[in-house]
Amino acid sequence: MIGVLVTFTRTEKFDRSTVAKIAGELRGPFEGMAGLRFKSFMLDEDGVHARNFYVWDDEDKARAFFTEELVEMVTGIYGAPPTIEYLDIVGFVDNSGT
């Protein structure tokens, strides 16, 4: 498994309702996506960082997803270019089935 943390940073704060609207509008394509275990849309307490966190089954699928075209598209949506970090998941707890 691999985690991917995508961070959008702006000088002005993100509006929580705007980020929630983005999450609602963009969730559909991720539902049932092959290789993607989950994705979350998040907003930091300071409001200047919107973050998306992904957990993928396979590193190749994760890296293939983040194309230049995708980066360009999400830059337009969030109004800031993303920083993309790939993280080795060495342990995972999933309580969704309990």
Side-chain angles (χ1 to χ4, degrees):
M1 275 191 299
I2 186 166
V4 183
L5 180 62
V6 179
T7 303
F8 302 90
T9 304
R10 296 187 349 186
T11 54
E12 56 195 60
K13 290 185 175 189
F14 285 96
D15 178 69
R16 187 184 190 288
S17 63
T18 301
V19 175
K21 182 179 178 191
I22 291 169
E25 291 174 354
L26 296 182
R27 73 176 291 145
F30 295 101
E31 293 175 343
M33 183 178 281
L36 180 65
R37 287 207 182 189
F38 74 79
K39 176 188 181 0
S40 61
F41 297 84
M42 303 173 289
L43 183 61
D44 280 2
E45 281 185 291
D46 63 12
V48 298
H49 303 286
R51 292 192 167 115
N52 296 331
F53 186 68
Y54 302 74
V55 174
W56 295 86
D57 289 325
D58 179 72
E59 183 174 350
D60 292 335
K61 287 181 183 176
R63 290 185 182 273
F65 178 75
F66 294 98
T67 63
E68 287 183 33
E69 293 81 15
L70 180 85
V71 169
E72 189 175 307
M73 181 187 74
V74 296
T75 297
I77 291 170
Y78 283 90
T83 300
I84 302 171
E85 300 174 73
Y86 295 89
L87 308 163
D88 184 18
I89 297 176
V90 297
F92 188 77
V93 175
D94 182 359
N95 290 325
S96 62
T98 59

